[in-house]
Amino acid sequence: MANQIHPLMSFFEGYVRNFRRLNLSSLHNRSMFTSREIDYFARLGEWLGFDAYVEDSKRNDLTGRSRPMDLSWWKWDTRLDKENYVSLSLHLER
């Protein structure tokens, strides 16, 4: 069997290879790093066919609270459910 890279490793490898395109330097503060990284992963999710949301939250019915997320990727598939997302595919906390 040929060596196959796990999809998450592919995302990480792509991020490392494209890091210079974030155009960050030591002159930028942490919030700029965070903003650009979240924007990068939001665009990546959309390119991969997910609905990407920044500053999203998901309600936890067990606790009655919401769970904040810096970024989320949701999958919509009307073949499975016409009214709801079928999965939360990525939850990113920076």
Side-chain angles (χ1 to χ4, degrees):
M1 181 175 197
N3 288 339
Q4 292 183 352
I5 296 176
H6 190 277
L8 289 177
M9 283 305 295
S10 296
F11 295 156
F12 177 72
E13 188 174 297
Y15 174 73
V16 170
R17 287 184 179 179
N18 288 293
F19 189 80
R20 68 178 178 79
R21 291 192 178 129
L22 295 178
N23 202 24
L24 293 166
S25 72
S26 61
L27 300 176
H28 291 94
N29 60 22
R30 279 184 275 184
S31 63
M32 182 58 75
F33 273 79
T34 299
S35 174
R36 293 215 180 146
E37 288 175 339
I38 288 173
D39 185 53
Y40 172 85
F41 281 102
R43 280 184 278 133
L44 176 61
E46 290 169 352
W47 291 332
L48 294 172
F50 295 96
D51 289 329
Y53 294 96
V54 175
E55 295 298 326
D56 193 15
S57 65
K58 181 178 185 196
R59 182 156 177 81
N60 183 335
D61 292 328
L62 296 175
T63 63
R65 297 185 311 230
S66 63
R67 185 175 59 175
M69 299 176 266
D70 286 341
L71 172 74
S72 61
W73 290 354
W74 293 89
K75 196 61 167 169
W76 182 277
D77 190 341
T78 58
R79 297 169 300 177
L80 301 175
D81 190 332
K82 293 181 189 280
E83 297 181 20
N84 302 299
Y85 287 103
V86 295
S87 69
L88 171 63
S89 302
L90 175 77
H91 169 177
L92 177 71
E93 276 302 315
R94 179 69 174 80

